[in-house]
Amino acid sequence: MAMKTSNIDMSIAFYSLLDFHPVAKFRSGPARAAWLEHQPDGSGGDNDDGPDTNICSTAARIELIEVPEEILYDGMDEEARKQMQRKRALDRMKNSAVLGWDHICLDVSDPIRAMSTNDDDVASCIDLQGWIDALNSRSQSKFGKDLRVALQPRVKVIGKERYQLAFIYDADGGLIELVNKMSSESPVESSWDDIDDSRIIW
């Protein structure tokens, strides 16, 4: 997954909260870019004593590309740049008709189970809300900033599994879906029909 950012240092800091750390920094034309890899053992960054919010998954990589200021603020003088609010990604929670890539999805089921096992206050750490609260505390401790939550946790049955789903914004306003598998249910019928081959056009 490749994403454009207005400030690559800020984005690297944000994704470090989710244990994505730089493994390569390079130039893509005039733009600064970086590959971030998920390193749940903390080998790529500070390994503090806070709650285990690691996303235990197979190898995952994010590419960040910083849009140079002269392109981001094309045609604006320095005074106008100072007066305008920082540019963010289009809020896809409020623009549901936009096509193309919508959000990234991270399964946090394993770290939630790990928190429930390791934390003394088990009751506060067995669900997605507890994990988000722990992540927010980590953000406050490291950067003095609160997470921006786009959609609070809710429960949804998908197939034969029961999940908690929530959305947060990254540093540029991009959407991140957080998923916690809760339990198995009786299989449910698909909520939409089979694909109509006649509508397929590449």
Side-chain angles (χ1 to χ4, degrees), residues 90-163:
L90 181 69
D91 190 343
R92 291 179 178 266
M93 295 298 287
K94 298 176 181 177
N95 295 273
S96 57
V98 177
L99 304 180
W101 293 108
D102 189 77
H103 62 273
I104 61 174
C105 180
L106 302 177
D107 188 333
V108 297
S109 306
D110 285 346
I112 286 176
R113 282 193 287 271
M115 288 174 65
S116 300
T117 302
N118 298 329
D119 201 289
D120 292 334
D121 187 10
V122 173
S124 67
C125 296
I126 60 173
D127 62 4
L128 185 55
Q129 185 61 62
W131 189 87
I132 292 173
D133 290 343
L135 188 67
N136 191 58
S137 295
R138 190 175 178 186
S139 178
Q140 291 173 332
S141 175
K142 291 185 71 173
F143 307 116
K145 295 184 179 297
D146 286 316
L147 296 176
R148 295 193 304 135
V149 178
L151 183 67
Q152 296 291 343
R154 59 194 176 105
V155 176
K156 184 166 184 158
V157 176
I158 302 175
K160 61 179 181 179
E161 309 292 350
R162 204 161 154 260
Y163 295 91

Side-chain angles (χ1 to χ4, degrees), residues 77-93:
D77 59 35
E78 188 172 347
E79 188 60 33
R81 293 183 190 182
K82 291 179 181 178
Q83 293 179 4
M84 74 173 295
Q85 293 185 333
R86 180 166 63 86
K87 282 194 173 184
R88 292 188 185 272
L90 181 69
D91 190 343
R92 291 179 178 266
M93 295 298 287

Side-chain angles (χ1 to χ4, degrees), residues 3-4 6 11 16 23 40 55 84 104 111 135 150-151 154 163-165 167 170 175:
M3 294 178 286
K4 290 182 177 179
S6 63
S11 289
S16 73
V23 294
I55 304 160
M84 74 173 295
I104 61 174
L135 188 67
L151 183 67
R154 59 194 176 105
Y163 295 91
Q164 286 181 307
L165 310 175
F167 285 84
D170 74 2
L175 278 176

